Amino acid sequence: MKAPTGRRRAVTKALTALLPLAPYADMEKIRADAGSVHMKTLPPTIAVWLATVAHIRHAYTDYEKLLAEGYDRDSARFFVIEQTNVVLTRWRATRLLDADDEDD
């Protein structure tokens, strides 16, 4: 994560608040993704949320398989909402995905 120290601290604080029981390896990957260049203009809480959802989607759901089967991104994302929420719940996340949210 190549971000100013204040930004790193804010991302770490947001990550700890959002995912109190996430495994360390997952938290490190999410922290790195939330601190990437394309996320630097977002508030830390939003960057952490987006990085978390993307990480879970790719690492813990059938998202990649659905894409390989020909589903478009939006359809594949819709079909993995429940799987994503299971992981978020296991990690005691303070937020879950909602099928009606268009930003996730």
XYZ file of all heavy atoms in Angstrom:
827
model
N 0.855 -1.179 0.000
C 0.000 0.000 0.000
C 0.888 1.224 0.000
O 1.615 1.452 0.947
C -0.887 -0.057 1.240
C -1.762 1.114 1.438
S -2.768 0.814 2.925
C -3.919 2.079 2.754
N 0.832 2.004 -1.050
C 1.654 3.192 -1.153
C 0.770 4.423 -1.018
O 0.367 5.017 -1.987
C 2.402 3.194 -2.463
C 3.354 2.030 -2.537
C 4.192 2.076 -3.754
C 5.028 0.846 -3.680
N 5.991 0.565 -4.497
N 0.468 4.744 0.215
C -0.392 5.889 0.492
C 0.222 6.645 1.653
O 1.002 6.093 2.424
C -1.793 5.405 0.847
N -0.104 7.917 1.781
C 0.398 8.670 2.925
C -0.009 7.997 4.235
O -1.014 7.296 4.311
C -0.274 10.034 2.776
C -0.676 10.118 1.340
C -0.928 8.700 0.898
N 0.797 8.230 5.261
C 0.564 7.597 6.552
C -0.838 7.842 7.078
O -1.484 6.927 7.592
C 1.607 8.083 7.571
O 2.901 7.795 7.039
C 1.452 7.387 8.887
N -1.353 9.053 6.959
C -2.709 9.358 7.417
C -3.746 8.524 6.687
O -4.692 8.019 7.292
N -3.560 8.376 5.419
C -4.475 7.558 4.616
C -4.400 6.095 5.058
O -5.416 5.427 5.212
C -4.122 7.703 3.129
C -4.862 6.785 2.192
C -6.264 7.213 1.962
N -6.908 6.328 0.990
C -8.122 6.491 0.555
N -8.844 7.502 0.975
N -8.639 5.663 -0.313
N -3.185 5.582 5.269
C -3.014 4.196 5.719
C -3.712 3.966 7.054
O -4.376 2.951 7.246
C -1.535 3.847 5.839
C -0.908 3.460 4.532
C 0.428 2.793 4.767
N 1.345 3.651 5.502
C 2.370 4.294 4.981
N 2.637 4.170 3.717
N 3.146 5.048 5.712
N -3.538 4.913 7.961
C -4.197 4.785 9.270
C -5.710 4.791 9.125
O -6.409 4.016 9.779
C -3.759 5.911 10.206
C -2.540 5.545 11.014
C -2.281 6.576 12.091
N -1.075 7.275 11.674
C -0.942 8.575 11.535
N -1.920 9.382 11.814
N 0.184 9.093 11.139
N -6.227 5.649 8.276
C -7.678 5.733 8.070
C -8.214 4.444 7.444
O -9.286 3.969 7.823
C -8.018 6.940 7.196
N -7.487 3.881 6.503
C -7.898 2.621 5.871
C -7.875 1.494 6.907
O -8.805 0.693 6.989
C -7.004 2.288 4.647
C -7.180 0.842 4.212
C -7.315 3.234 3.496
N -6.837 1.445 7.713
C -6.736 0.412 8.750
C -7.873 0.539 9.752
O -8.486 -0.463 10.139
C -5.374 0.496 9.462
O -4.350 0.238 8.497
C -5.276 -0.490 10.603
N -8.170 1.755 10.161
C -9.266 1.984 11.110
C -10.605 1.552 10.500
O -11.417 0.881 11.149
C -9.312 3.460 11.496
C -10.334 3.793 12.533
C -10.264 5.263 12.913
C -11.333 5.604 13.916
N -11.310 7.024 14.292
N -10.847 1.918 9.243
C -12.094 1.550 8.570
C -12.188 0.035 8.403
O -13.258 -0.551 8.583
C -12.185 2.246 7.209
N -11.083 -0.601 8.097
C -11.058 -2.049 7.908
C -11.365 -2.770 9.220
O -12.169 -3.702 9.258
C -9.693 -2.469 7.374
C -9.477 -3.923 7.016
C -10.512 -4.401 6.014
C -8.090 -4.096 6.438
N -10.756 -2.327 10.297
C -10.998 -2.933 11.606
C -12.442 -2.737 12.043
O -13.056 -3.644 12.610
C -10.043 -2.337 12.651
O -8.702 -2.545 12.204
C -10.235 -2.979 14.006
N -12.995 -1.577 11.757
C -14.390 -1.303 12.138
C -15.363 -2.134 11.298
O -16.353 -2.646 11.819
C -14.697 0.177 11.978
N -15.090 -2.286 10.018
C -15.996 -3.015 9.131
C -15.920 -4.528 9.318
O -16.939 -5.203 9.302
C -15.693 -2.690 7.662
C -16.497 -3.471 6.616
C -17.982 -3.094 6.692
C -15.959 -3.208 5.220
N -14.718 -5.054 9.505
C -14.508 -6.508 9.514
C -13.744 -6.962 10.756
O -12.597 -7.392 10.665
C -13.716 -6.926 8.272
C -14.281 -6.510 6.929
C -13.276 -6.764 5.825
C -15.577 -7.226 6.663
N -14.358 -6.919 11.904
C -13.622 -7.233 13.131
C -13.074 -8.663 13.208
O -12.077 -8.888 13.884
C -14.636 -6.983 14.247
C -15.962 -6.866 13.597
C -15.734 -6.517 12.159
N -13.663 -9.625 12.520
C -13.198 -11.009 12.610
C -12.650 -11.577 11.305
O -12.536 -12.796 11.151
C -14.325 -11.913 13.131
C -14.781 -11.643 14.559
C -15.882 -12.624 14.961
C -13.625 -11.718 15.539
N -12.288 -10.724 10.382
C -11.727 -11.207 9.113
C -10.338 -11.790 9.357
O -9.577 -11.287 10.189
C -11.642 -10.068 8.105
N -9.990 -12.845 8.647
C -8.644 -13.419 8.764
C -7.578 -12.397 8.342
O -7.805 -11.578 7.440
C -8.667 -14.606 7.804
C -10.114 -14.937 7.644
C -10.846 -13.628 7.761
N -6.429 -12.498 8.973
C -5.345 -11.550 8.725
C -4.957 -11.495 7.247
O -4.796 -10.405 6.689
C -4.120 -11.914 9.580
C -2.966 -10.979 9.383
C -2.958 -9.734 10.000
C -1.893 -11.331 8.568
C -1.896 -8.859 9.808
C -0.833 -10.471 8.378
C -0.837 -9.234 8.999
O 0.198 -8.371 8.804
N -4.806 -12.631 6.606
C -4.396 -12.648 5.199
C -5.405 -11.914 4.316
O -5.023 -11.184 3.394
C -4.218 -14.083 4.717
N -6.683 -12.095 4.598
C -7.712 -11.393 3.829
C -7.663 -9.895 4.113
O -7.789 -9.080 3.198
C -9.096 -11.946 4.159
C -9.273 -13.369 3.652
O -9.149 -13.577 2.439
O -9.532 -14.259 4.478
N -7.469 -9.542 5.381
C -7.406 -8.121 5.731
C -6.233 -7.431 5.042
O -6.359 -6.297 4.582
C -7.321 -7.935 7.243
C -8.632 -8.255 7.939
S -8.561 -7.992 9.716
C -8.674 -6.214 9.805
N -5.099 -8.115 4.947
C -3.934 -7.523 4.282
C -4.197 -7.297 2.798
O -3.820 -6.269 2.246
C -2.693 -8.391 4.496
C -2.153 -8.299 5.901
C -1.803 -6.877 6.294
O -0.995 -6.230 5.604
O -2.372 -6.397 7.301
N -4.846 -8.250 2.146
C -5.178 -8.097 0.720
C -6.160 -6.947 0.526
O -5.993 -6.117 -0.373
C -5.772 -9.420 0.196
C -6.308 -9.359 -1.213
C -5.205 -9.230 -2.234
C -5.768 -9.389 -3.640
N -5.521 -8.243 -4.481
N -7.164 -6.880 1.382
C -8.157 -5.805 1.297
C -7.499 -4.461 1.567
O -7.749 -3.480 0.868
C -9.331 -6.073 2.254
C -10.109 -7.311 1.794
C -10.241 -4.853 2.358
C -11.060 -7.873 2.833
N -6.620 -4.406 2.574
C -5.915 -3.155 2.909
C -5.093 -2.675 1.707
O -5.113 -1.491 1.366
C -5.015 -3.389 4.115
C -4.285 -2.159 4.611
C -3.282 -2.425 5.722
N -3.495 -3.609 6.521
C -4.258 -3.661 7.610
N -4.901 -2.599 8.021
N -4.364 -4.790 8.296
N -4.398 -3.597 1.063
C -3.593 -3.232 -0.110
C -4.479 -2.727 -1.241
O -4.172 -1.714 -1.882
C -2.767 -4.430 -0.566
N -5.576 -3.426 -1.498
C -6.483 -3.004 -2.574
C -7.128 -1.649 -2.271
O -7.281 -0.815 -3.164
C -7.570 -4.056 -2.806
C -7.019 -5.338 -3.401
O -5.855 -5.353 -3.868
O -7.749 -6.341 -3.395
N -7.507 -1.429 -1.021
C -8.132 -0.156 -0.646
C -7.149 1.007 -0.739
O -7.556 2.154 -0.913
C -8.700 -0.245 0.767
N -5.859 0.710 -0.650
C -4.850 1.756 -0.742
C -4.282 1.942 -2.127
O -3.360 2.738 -2.324
N -4.814 1.241 -3.101
C -4.279 1.341 -4.459
C -4.592 2.689 -5.098
O -5.459 3.430 -4.640
C -4.813 0.201 -5.329
O -6.195 0.332 -5.497
N -3.880 2.986 -6.147
C -3.972 4.284 -6.815
C -5.399 4.607 -7.255
O -5.862 5.737 -7.083
C -3.011 4.320 -8.025
C -3.194 5.596 -8.825
C -1.576 4.191 -7.561
N -6.119 3.640 -7.810
C -7.450 3.937 -8.329
C -8.480 4.172 -7.218
O -9.590 4.604 -7.496
C -7.916 2.858 -9.312
C -8.235 1.542 -8.688
N -7.268 0.637 -8.326
C -9.421 0.991 -8.353
C -7.850 -0.418 -7.797
N -9.144 -0.241 -7.798
N -8.119 3.919 -5.970
C -9.035 4.147 -4.849
C -8.683 5.408 -4.049
O -9.398 5.769 -3.131
C -8.995 2.952 -3.881
C -9.439 1.663 -4.477
S -11.189 1.453 -4.272
C -11.329 -0.309 -4.305
N -7.578 6.077 -4.406
C -7.068 7.169 -3.570
C -8.005 8.371 -3.466
O -7.923 9.109 -2.501
C -5.692 7.608 -4.042
C -5.685 8.381 -5.333
C -4.295 8.804 -5.704
C -4.326 9.648 -6.969
N -3.016 10.137 -7.313
N -8.890 8.550 -4.406
C -9.791 9.706 -4.332
C -11.048 9.412 -3.507
O -11.814 10.320 -3.212
C -10.214 10.167 -5.742
O -10.871 9.094 -6.407
C -9.003 10.617 -6.546
N -11.238 8.149 -3.153
C -12.421 7.768 -2.369
C -12.154 7.916 -0.880
O -11.020 7.734 -0.433
C -12.780 6.305 -2.653
C -13.150 5.948 -4.081
C -13.290 4.446 -4.220
C -14.429 6.648 -4.477
N -13.180 8.185 -0.107
C -13.004 8.169 1.347
C -12.571 6.766 1.773
O -12.983 5.772 1.153
C -14.402 8.491 1.884
C -15.116 9.161 0.758
C -14.532 8.584 -0.498
N -11.749 6.659 2.818
C -11.258 5.346 3.248
C -12.352 4.317 3.502
O -12.194 3.145 3.137
C -10.485 5.655 4.532
C -10.069 7.068 4.373
C -11.177 7.728 3.612
N -13.469 4.714 4.079
C -14.532 3.747 4.370
C -15.113 3.157 3.093
O -15.403 1.966 3.033
C -15.660 4.391 5.196
O -16.125 5.565 4.522
C -15.189 4.752 6.588
N -15.262 3.971 2.068
C -15.804 3.489 0.791
C -14.766 2.616 0.086
O -15.097 1.564 -0.459
C -16.260 4.660 -0.092
C -17.463 5.348 0.566
C -16.602 4.188 -1.508
C -17.912 6.615 -0.112
N -13.502 3.031 0.107
C -12.445 2.240 -0.514
C -12.349 0.862 0.136
O -12.233 -0.153 -0.563
C -11.106 2.965 -0.411
N -12.448 0.811 1.452
C -12.390 -0.474 2.165
C -13.599 -1.335 1.803
O -13.471 -2.534 1.561
C -12.280 -0.252 3.691
C -12.586 -1.526 4.460
C -10.906 0.277 4.045
N -14.775 -0.738 1.750
C -15.977 -1.513 1.414
C -15.874 -2.104 0.007
O -16.119 -3.287 -0.207
C -17.232 -0.644 1.548
C -18.469 -1.326 1.061
C -19.204 -1.016 -0.040
C -19.111 -2.479 1.651
N -20.265 -1.884 -0.169
C -20.229 -2.790 0.852
C -18.846 -3.261 2.766
C -21.080 -3.856 1.134
C -19.700 -4.324 3.042
C -20.805 -4.606 2.237
N -15.491 -1.291 -0.956
C -15.380 -1.767 -2.334
C -14.300 -2.849 -2.465
O -14.502 -3.855 -3.143
C -15.098 -0.606 -3.281
C -16.221 0.418 -3.429
C -15.771 1.586 -4.306
C -17.477 -0.215 -3.983
N -13.166 -2.642 -1.804
C -12.099 -3.640 -1.840
C -12.535 -4.938 -1.164
O -12.204 -6.031 -1.638
C -10.843 -3.082 -1.165
N -13.294 -4.828 -0.094
C -13.789 -6.008 0.620
C -14.728 -6.820 -0.254
O -14.581 -8.037 -0.398
C -14.508 -5.593 1.920
O -13.566 -4.951 2.779
C -15.139 -6.772 2.620
N -15.691 -6.148 -0.844
C -16.673 -6.845 -1.682
C -15.977 -7.498 -2.879
O -16.249 -8.659 -3.205
C -17.795 -5.878 -2.129
C -18.687 -6.521 -3.176
C -18.608 -5.427 -0.930
N -15.063 -6.794 -3.499
C -14.350 -7.363 -4.647
C -13.511 -8.568 -4.226
O -13.506 -9.597 -4.905
C -13.466 -6.303 -5.295
N -12.830 -8.451 -3.111
C -11.997 -9.566 -2.637
C -12.846 -10.801 -2.354
O -12.514 -11.901 -2.801
C -11.222 -9.149 -1.384
C -10.476 -10.278 -0.767
N -9.378 -10.862 -1.366
C -10.685 -10.949 0.385
C -8.946 -11.846 -0.603
N -9.719 -11.921 0.474
N -13.911 -10.620 -1.619
C -14.779 -11.759 -1.290
C -15.364 -12.356 -2.566
O -15.399 -13.573 -2.741
C -15.893 -11.339 -0.311
C -15.294 -11.012 1.055
C -16.945 -12.438 -0.180
C -16.275 -10.387 2.032
N -15.815 -11.498 -3.458
C -16.431 -11.965 -4.700
C -15.468 -12.865 -5.480
O -15.855 -13.913 -5.979
C -16.813 -10.738 -5.534
C -17.614 -11.043 -6.756
C -17.933 -9.775 -7.530
N -18.888 -8.951 -6.823
C -18.801 -7.629 -6.695
N -17.795 -6.973 -7.238
N -19.719 -6.953 -6.044
N -14.213 -12.458 -5.562
C -13.246 -13.219 -6.356
C -12.676 -14.428 -5.610
O -12.372 -15.441 -6.237
C -12.106 -12.314 -6.821
C -12.534 -11.326 -7.860
N -12.636 -11.650 -9.197
C -12.907 -10.027 -7.757
C -13.052 -10.592 -9.876
N -13.225 -9.596 -9.032
N -12.548 -14.326 -4.291
C -11.878 -15.387 -3.531
C -12.825 -16.414 -2.902
O -12.415 -17.543 -2.651
C -11.018 -14.760 -2.433
N -14.081 -16.031 -2.647
C -14.957 -16.897 -1.867
C -16.296 -17.235 -2.529
O -17.132 -17.862 -1.900
C -15.259 -16.247 -0.505
C -14.067 -16.192 0.395
C -13.259 -15.064 0.444
C -13.742 -17.268 1.204
C -12.158 -15.018 1.278
C -12.650 -17.233 2.045
C -11.857 -16.102 2.073
O -10.765 -16.059 2.899
N -16.500 -16.812 -3.754
C -17.785 -17.080 -4.403
C -17.573 -17.719 -5.778
O -16.442 -17.899 -6.225
C -18.612 -15.785 -4.593
O -18.012 -14.995 -5.620
C -18.731 -14.986 -3.298
N -18.665 -18.007 -6.431
C -18.638 -18.580 -7.780
C -18.574 -17.507 -8.871
O -18.841 -17.795 -10.038
C -19.893 -19.431 -8.001
C -19.940 -20.639 -7.101
O -18.873 -21.156 -6.723
O -21.058 -21.074 -6.757
N -18.218 -16.289 -8.509
C -18.218 -15.172 -9.448
C -17.392 -15.468 -10.702
O -17.875 -15.311 -11.830
C -17.705 -13.916 -8.742
C -17.656 -12.683 -9.595
C -18.821 -12.033 -9.984
C -16.444 -12.151 -10.013
C -18.778 -10.883 -10.763
C -16.394 -11.010 -10.786
C -17.560 -10.377 -11.162
O -17.512 -9.242 -11.924
N -16.155 -15.899 -10.523
C -15.278 -16.178 -11.672
C -15.864 -17.281 -12.552
O -15.801 -17.217 -13.771
C -13.882 -16.576 -11.185
C -13.153 -15.512 -10.400
C -12.614 -14.396 -11.258
O -12.508 -14.578 -12.494
O -12.316 -13.337 -10.700
N -16.433 -18.297 -11.908
C -17.043 -19.406 -12.650
C -18.221 -18.909 -13.486
O -18.378 -19.293 -14.654
C -17.514 -20.472 -11.656
C -18.163 -21.669 -12.282
C -18.629 -22.648 -11.205
C -19.479 -23.728 -11.808
N -20.125 -24.552 -10.803
N -19.040 -18.044 -12.894
C -20.186 -17.490 -13.625
C -19.728 -16.661 -14.823
O -20.324 -16.744 -15.904
C -21.066 -16.657 -12.688
C -21.805 -17.451 -11.616
C -22.435 -16.505 -10.588
C -22.864 -18.339 -12.240
N -18.679 -15.866 -14.638
C -18.149 -15.087 -15.760
C -17.648 -16.016 -16.860
O -17.888 -15.768 -18.041
C -17.019 -14.177 -15.288
C -17.411 -13.013 -14.387
C -16.159 -12.254 -13.947
C -18.387 -12.072 -15.071
N -16.967 -17.081 -16.459
C -16.442 -18.035 -17.441
C -17.568 -18.744 -18.192
O -17.393 -19.144 -19.341
C -15.549 -19.064 -16.740
N -18.718 -18.882 -17.544
C -19.867 -19.517 -18.186
C -20.621 -18.562 -19.108
O -21.596 -18.957 -19.745
C -20.817 -20.065 -17.126
C -20.269 -21.263 -16.382
C -21.181 -21.729 -15.263
O -22.258 -21.109 -15.046
O -20.820 -22.702 -14.596
N -20.206 -17.302 -19.143
C -20.807 -16.354 -20.065
C -21.736 -15.319 -19.448
O -22.314 -14.511 -20.170
N -21.905 -15.346 -18.141
C -22.739 -14.330 -17.500
C -22.034 -12.981 -17.567
O -20.808 -12.910 -17.474
C -22.990 -14.673 -16.027
C -23.966 -15.796 -15.819
C -23.541 -17.116 -15.775
C -25.330 -15.542 -15.682
C -24.434 -18.154 -15.591
C -26.232 -16.569 -15.490
C -25.778 -17.877 -15.444
O -26.663 -18.897 -15.257
N -22.799 -11.921 -17.726
C -22.197 -10.596 -17.677
C -21.900 -10.255 -16.218
O -22.373 -10.915 -15.298
C -23.116 -9.547 -18.328
C -24.422 -9.388 -17.595
O -24.451 -8.667 -16.582
O -25.433 -9.995 -18.030
N -21.090 -9.216 -15.995
C -20.657 -8.850 -14.638
C -21.822 -8.595 -13.696
O -21.820 -9.068 -12.563
C -19.758 -7.614 -14.673
C -18.380 -7.896 -15.121
C -17.496 -6.690 -15.160
N -18.048 -5.538 -14.471
C -17.440 -4.391 -14.320
N -16.243 -4.222 -14.809
N -18.005 -3.387 -13.692
N -22.809 -7.843 -14.138
C -23.934 -7.513 -13.257
C -24.723 -8.747 -12.856
O -25.124 -8.892 -11.699
C -24.860 -6.486 -13.920
C -24.225 -5.117 -14.018
O -23.328 -4.808 -13.206
O -24.633 -4.350 -14.909
N -24.958 -9.642 -13.790
C -25.686 -10.871 -13.478
C -24.885 -11.743 -12.516
O -25.419 -12.266 -11.534
C -25.988 -11.658 -14.748
O -26.836 -10.922 -15.592
N -23.598 -11.899 -12.797
C -22.743 -12.706 -11.924
C -22.709 -12.113 -10.522
O -22.790 -12.838 -9.529
C -21.336 -12.803 -12.512
N -22.612 -10.806 -10.428
C -22.601 -10.151 -9.112
C -23.913 -10.397 -8.376
O -23.913 -10.638 -7.177
C -22.363 -8.652 -9.270
C -20.947 -8.337 -9.652
C -20.737 -6.863 -9.877
N -19.337 -6.616 -10.200
C -18.828 -5.434 -10.376
N -19.581 -4.357 -10.259
N -17.548 -5.307 -10.668
N -25.014 -10.342 -9.088
C -26.313 -10.585 -8.465
C -26.378 -11.998 -7.882
O -26.842 -12.202 -6.764
C -27.443 -10.377 -9.475
C -28.790 -10.725 -8.929
C -29.465 -9.842 -8.099
C -29.375 -11.941 -9.221
C -30.710 -10.169 -7.584
C -30.621 -12.283 -8.708
C -31.284 -11.389 -7.882
N -25.904 -12.970 -8.638
C -26.012 -14.364 -8.210
C -25.082 -14.723 -7.053
O -25.272 -15.768 -6.426
C -25.792 -15.311 -9.387
C -26.938 -15.310 -10.351
C -26.745 -14.976 -11.685
C -28.215 -15.629 -9.942
C -27.808 -14.967 -12.583
C -29.286 -15.629 -10.821
C -29.078 -15.293 -12.151
N -24.094 -13.890 -6.758
C -23.186 -14.203 -5.640
C -23.428 -13.332 -4.408
O -22.658 -13.397 -3.453
C -21.700 -14.150 -6.063
C -21.419 -15.166 -7.155
C -21.282 -12.761 -6.465
N -24.488 -12.553 -4.409
C -24.779 -11.699 -3.252
C -24.912 -12.530 -1.977
O -24.328 -12.194 -0.941
C -26.036 -10.836 -3.489
C -25.733 -9.733 -4.492
C -26.539 -10.226 -2.177
C -26.939 -8.923 -4.899
N -25.652 -13.614 -2.036
C -25.863 -14.427 -0.834
C -24.541 -15.028 -0.346
O -24.258 -15.018 0.853
C -26.882 -15.521 -1.098
C -27.270 -16.266 0.170
C -28.408 -17.246 -0.073
O -29.268 -16.982 -0.938
O -28.412 -18.267 0.611
N -23.732 -15.550 -1.256
C -22.432 -16.110 -0.868
C -21.547 -15.038 -0.238
O -20.845 -15.299 0.738
C -21.708 -16.697 -2.086
C -22.322 -17.951 -2.642
C -21.598 -18.386 -3.903
O -21.379 -17.584 -4.814
N -21.237 -19.656 -3.958
N -21.580 -13.847 -0.800
C -20.794 -12.732 -0.266
C -21.265 -12.380 1.132
O -20.447 -12.184 2.045
C -20.898 -11.513 -1.205
O -20.481 -11.887 -2.512
C -20.050 -10.361 -0.705
N -22.563 -12.315 1.330
C -23.104 -11.978 2.646
C -22.791 -13.040 3.700
O -22.630 -12.716 4.883
C -24.606 -11.710 2.565
C -24.910 -10.340 2.013
O -24.083 -9.428 2.072
N -26.098 -10.177 1.459
N -22.688 -14.298 3.286
C -22.305 -15.355 4.224
C -20.900 -15.088 4.770
O -20.654 -15.175 5.974
C -22.389 -16.751 3.551
C -21.682 -17.812 4.382
C -23.830 -17.127 3.313
N -19.982 -14.726 3.889
C -18.614 -14.422 4.318
C -18.606 -13.168 5.178
O -17.967 -13.133 6.239
C -17.668 -14.269 3.110
C -16.274 -13.842 3.557
C -17.605 -15.565 2.318
N -19.319 -12.129 4.759
C -19.376 -10.902 5.549
C -19.931 -11.179 6.947
O -19.429 -10.641 7.941
C -20.229 -9.846 4.833
C -19.606 -9.219 3.590
C -20.659 -8.423 2.820
C -18.426 -8.339 3.957
N -20.935 -12.017 7.038
C -21.520 -12.364 8.329
C -20.517 -13.142 9.184
O -20.379 -12.873 10.379
C -22.815 -13.180 8.138
O -23.739 -12.384 7.387
C -23.433 -13.567 9.465
N -19.817 -14.080 8.572
C -18.808 -14.861 9.301
C -17.716 -13.947 9.861
O -17.186 -14.185 10.937
C -18.216 -15.919 8.373
C -17.305 -16.895 9.072
C -16.900 -18.079 8.200
N -16.303 -17.686 6.935
C -16.761 -18.067 5.735
N -17.822 -18.835 5.626
N -16.147 -17.685 4.635
N -17.387 -12.902 9.129
C -16.372 -11.946 9.562
C -16.950 -10.849 10.467
O -16.267 -9.934 10.839
C -15.701 -11.308 8.358
C -14.863 -12.245 7.544
C -14.549 -13.553 7.824
C -14.243 -11.950 6.302
N -13.761 -14.074 6.841
C -13.552 -13.114 5.884
C -14.197 -10.821 5.492
C -12.816 -13.165 4.702
C -13.470 -10.876 4.321
C -12.793 -12.041 3.926
N -18.235 -10.962 10.786
C -18.956 -10.005 11.643
C -18.918 -8.582 11.074
O -18.743 -7.601 11.783
C -18.398 -9.996 13.064
C -18.477 -11.309 13.788
C -19.924 -11.716 14.041
N -20.005 -12.895 14.884
C -20.206 -14.132 14.431
N -20.364 -14.343 13.154
N -20.275 -15.140 15.252
N -19.095 -8.499 9.762
C -19.103 -7.199 9.088
C -20.249 -6.344 9.603
O -21.306 -6.859 9.963
C -19.230 -7.384 7.582
N -20.022 -5.060 9.610
C -21.047 -4.123 10.063
C -22.003 -3.742 8.944
O -22.908 -2.943 9.151
C -20.398 -2.850 10.634
O -19.553 -2.275 9.630
C -19.575 -3.179 11.863
N -21.791 -4.314 7.769
C -22.627 -4.009 6.601
C -22.716 -5.256 5.739
O -21.781 -6.045 5.680
C -21.968 -2.862 5.823
C -22.679 -2.433 4.593
C -21.958 -1.273 3.930
N -22.605 -0.949 2.687
C -22.145 -0.079 1.817
N -21.034 0.563 2.044
N -22.799 0.167 0.698
N -23.839 -5.420 5.060
C -24.025 -6.519 4.117
C -24.425 -5.959 2.766
O -24.872 -4.815 2.663
C -25.103 -7.489 4.613
C -24.830 -8.209 5.927
C -26.035 -9.049 6.321
C -23.586 -9.067 5.840
N -24.296 -6.777 1.737
C -24.746 -6.373 0.403
C -26.260 -6.421 0.331
O -26.902 -7.278 0.948
C -24.188 -7.325 -0.655
C -22.772 -7.136 -1.089
C -22.391 -8.196 -2.117
C -22.546 -5.768 -1.683
N -26.803 -5.533 -0.447
C -28.243 -5.488 -0.695
C -28.435 -5.576 -2.196
O -27.783 -4.862 -2.962
C -28.814 -4.176 -0.149
C -30.303 -4.053 -0.264
O -30.928 -4.852 -0.975
O -30.860 -3.135 0.345
N -29.313 -6.444 -2.632
C -29.554 -6.626 -4.073
C -29.977 -5.334 -4.761
O -29.799 -5.180 -5.967
C -30.597 -7.705 -4.305
N -30.534 -4.398 -4.010
C -30.985 -3.142 -4.590
C -29.896 -2.088 -4.709
O -30.090 -1.075 -5.361
C -32.135 -2.564 -3.758
C -33.354 -3.469 -3.792
O -33.575 -4.147 -4.816
O -34.098 -3.498 -2.794
N -28.726 -2.327 -4.079
C -27.607 -1.381 -4.185
C -26.976 -1.506 -5.557
O -26.556 -2.587 -5.959
C -26.530 -1.656 -3.128
C -26.996 -1.263 -1.736
O -28.015 -0.568 -1.608
O -26.317 -1.668 -0.773
N -26.901 -0.408 -6.257
C -26.319 -0.431 -7.595
C -24.817 -0.246 -7.589
O -24.149 -0.551 -8.555
C -26.965 0.650 -8.467
C -28.428 0.363 -8.739
C -29.061 1.405 -9.633
O -28.329 2.133 -10.310
O -30.280 1.496 -9.645
N -24.242 0.273 -6.491
C -22.816 0.573 -6.446
C -21.973 -0.632 -6.122
O -20.763 -0.595 -6.297
C -22.543 1.660 -5.395
C -23.206 2.965 -5.753
O -23.474 3.177 -6.936
O -23.462 3.770 -4.844
N -22.532 -1.716 -5.649
C -21.722 -2.828 -5.159
C -21.327 -3.754 -6.240
O -21.697 -4.282 -7.047
C -22.468 -3.594 -4.052
C -22.723 -2.696 -2.860
O -21.871 -1.859 -2.576
O -23.784 -2.861 -2.231
